[in-house]
Amino acid sequence: QSVLTQPPSASGTPGQRVSISCSGSSSNIGSNTVNWYQQLPGTAPKLLIYSNNQRPSGVPDRFSGSKSGTSASLAISGLQSEDEADYYCAAWDDSLNGYVFGTGTKVTVL
Amino acid sequence: EVQLLESGGDLVQPGGSLRLSCAASGFTFSSCAMSWVRQAPGKGLEWVSHISSSGGSTYYADSVKGRFTVSRDTSKNTLYLQMNSLRAEDTAVYYCARRMVAATAFDYWGQGTLVTVSS
């Protein structure tokens, strides 16, 4: 079972800003960096944000990440139709000695 | 170009075994730690196992510990996942993923291979 909690869904109209939260604990987000993945329907996950707020080459700057204490968030500004996907946060967990993913958030563009 | 290509997925009976492979190309395989991540039908992502770049350290999710074994063959640039005592709940698409050198994130993923455990 996932130890990182995300809202099951989020939505917005084109151009709006959408934010997704990720809640963890001291053993994961509280002591390690957070990464975010985007999964388009029927495809493999894609790295969106690493080390809390870093974007890999090719990821638009509309996507941004932040972390505070045992929580993190992903923001999508200027929402576009192609952003409709599932989003997962993830981090290493020192207690479990393993990598943990969030429960996932489905973003819908209205 | 970095490429990860999984293979070995199949239909297997409960209690059976299967070995997945992940052929890596386009990068120095021996320098990168690797992981297996799975996704059950209609469900979220679940990390399964991790192996260090040297192969000297391995980690497993509690759900597969004692049943699955991760390994790597640097001469073949291939990552493996040996799965024994398979259960219905192991049914999923299995992805191999490369871990970034200077971060905990997985920057490249394969396309996945489907494992179905059913009688």
Side-chain angles (χ1 to χ4, degrees):
Chain A
Q1 62 278 17
S2 301
V3 299
L4 303 182
T5 303
Q6 300 177 232
S9 63
S11 62
T13 57
Q16 278 191 326
R17 175 185 169 94
V18 168
S19 184
I20 301 170
S21 62
C22 175
S23 177
S25 67
S26 59
S27 64
N28 41 66
I29 294 177
S31 51
N32 295 294
T33 57
V34 177
N35 310 303
W36 290 89
Y37 301 90
Q38 177 194 58
Q39 187 175 33
L40 298 170
T43 68
K46 168 191 169 184
L47 179 63
L48 205 60
I49 297 288
Y50 69 95
S51 298
N52 302 329
N53 55 19
Q54 301 299 301
R55 282 187 308 277
S57 174
V59 173
D61 59 6
R62 303 185 292 104
F63 295 92
S64 62
S66 63
K67 174 185 138 175
S68 178
T70 59
S71 294
S73 65
L74 173 73
I76 310 173
S77 60
L79 192 65
Q80 298 182 6
S81 58
E82 56 261 39
D83 299 333
E84 197 160 274
D86 294 323
Y87 294 82
Y88 296 89
C89 58
W92 184 263
D93 190 295
D94 293 333
S95 295
L96 297 175
N97 213 20
Y99 200 70
V100 289
F101 284 96
T103 49
T105 299
K106 182 175 183 61
V107 168
T108 301
V109 181
L110 302 171
Chain B
E1 179 192 5
V2 172
Q3 288 194 336
L4 298 171
L5 186 62
E6 302 96 335
S7 61
D10 205 348
L11 170 63
V12 61
Q13 292 191 340
S17 297
L18 207 58
R19 188 177 83 158
L20 304 183
S21 299
C22 170
S25 62
F27 65 100
T28 305
F29 182 66
S30 60
S31 297
C32 294
M34 302 289 295
S35 270
W36 287 97
V37 176
R38 69 184 180 184
Q39 186 169 36
K43 302 297 184 181
L45 301 174
E46 179 188 16
W47 171 81
V48 172
S49 181
H50 183 83
I51 186 167
S52 63
S53 56
S54 67
S57 297
T58 56
Y59 307 86
Y60 299 93
D62 287 344
S63 58
V64 306
K65 202 170 293 183
R67 301 188 299 122
F68 289 13
T69 302
V70 62
S71 62
R72 61 193 300 160
D73 185 336
T74 301
S75 67
K76 296 181 179 180
N77 283 354
T78 301
L79 174 73
Y80 301 101
L81 185 67
Q82 177 66 43
M83 304 186 295
N84 299 330
S85 303
L86 283 162
R87 308 166 180 167
E89 54 264 35
D90 295 319
T91 294
V93 172
Y94 285 73
Y95 298 100
C96 65
R98 185 185 85 164
R99 204 187 86 165
M100 296 178 74
V101 173
T104 62
F106 302 125
D107 58 351
Y108 286 93
W109 297 64
Q111 87 292 343
T113 187
L114 176 62
V115 173
T116 303
V117 184
S118 174
S119 54

